[in-house]
Amino acid sequence: MGTDAPFDRRPIGSEQFDAWLELLAAVEAEDREDEHHGVDDLREYLADPYCDFARGSVAFYDGPTMIGYGYLKARTEADPVHEMYYLGGVHPAYRGRGVGAALLAWAEEAALPLHLERYPERPLTIYSSSLARNTPASELYAAQGYTAARWFHGMTRDLLAPLPDLPAPDGIEVRGFTAERSEDARLVRNEAFRDHWGSTEQSEEGWAHMTSGPAFRPGLSFVAYDVEEDAAGGEALGIVLGEEYEAHTEATGRRDLYVSLVGTRRAGRKRGIASALLVQAMAEAREAGFATASLGVDADSPTGALGLYGHVGFTVKDTWIAQLKPLWSPAAG
């Protein structure tokens, strides 16, 4: 069916939230990714400074029913390539009818002008992901010229199970996340993830968007400082950021601490800082009534993150595949 799919299409706006939520609920009921959404989540997507929903989003409709959606998210860097991220989904009742292929075709066409405005001298690759156990989705990406490039695990932990005794190492003080410590945390994040596959630096604007969103929980987020030589201040070496999605709680009846970031500067690695931060966040969450904790990790993380999370009790629940397709290069014109 390709781009000639006989469905109405339009950019996504706030007036479509009800239809979008119905589509997302249908996708979750079929795919069971444990992803639940509310209006606040959609509002935050539309406010993302790296998205342009007027030009970089689309919804497919069959009458009043939204049967597919997609949107693009630019990256903060393009060194050496701009990997623009595509997110989307298709209503289960409309799968196998060319909607997914049409969405990918739309994304590839819409991505180029958005890319050229930001990084006209850099190549463009489109980056998406598929659930590893969703074989038809992986086959769709392959048929459209995408290559499976990396695997990422979603991990979970029962917070009612005993937590390990892993206090902060000597000379390290763990402090709660505050507005005054936010920039310290951002700088730790950028250095910690500099050697991670596909990672780009978090800008001040993007960081502000993330740490002011409805899911962010500063009371479950911490910054570790090296105070061995400077008890008053100290250098920030590690971070853990916690989030809670209210739509998930409403859908499942249990509170889940989503650990959106764990990172340690090079100078703080192999000292037990990340483990101590994770345990503290989980202990605080359990005290507040959270039942589980979850996070995502690169299966081939160069920092050994997978082993770290296993050490504090996380187990793999699902796996996603990073799908890449080169779209354009300056040399090709």
Side-chain angles (χ1 to χ4, degrees), residues 165-174 224-225 271-273 275-277 280:
D165 183 17
L166 295 171
D170 291 342
I172 298 298
E173 183 176 301
V174 176
Y225 287 84
R271 296 172 59 182
I273 294 173
S275 299
L277 286 166
Q280 179 145 348

Side-chain angles (χ1 to χ4, degrees), residues 157-164 220 255 257 279-293:
R157 190 196 199 281
D158 180 2
L159 290 184
L160 300 182
L163 295 172
L220 300 175
R255 299 178 73 184
L257 168 68
V279 169
Q280 179 145 348
M282 290 191 291
E284 295 285 345
R286 182 170 65 181
E287 185 69 21
F290 286 71
T292 57

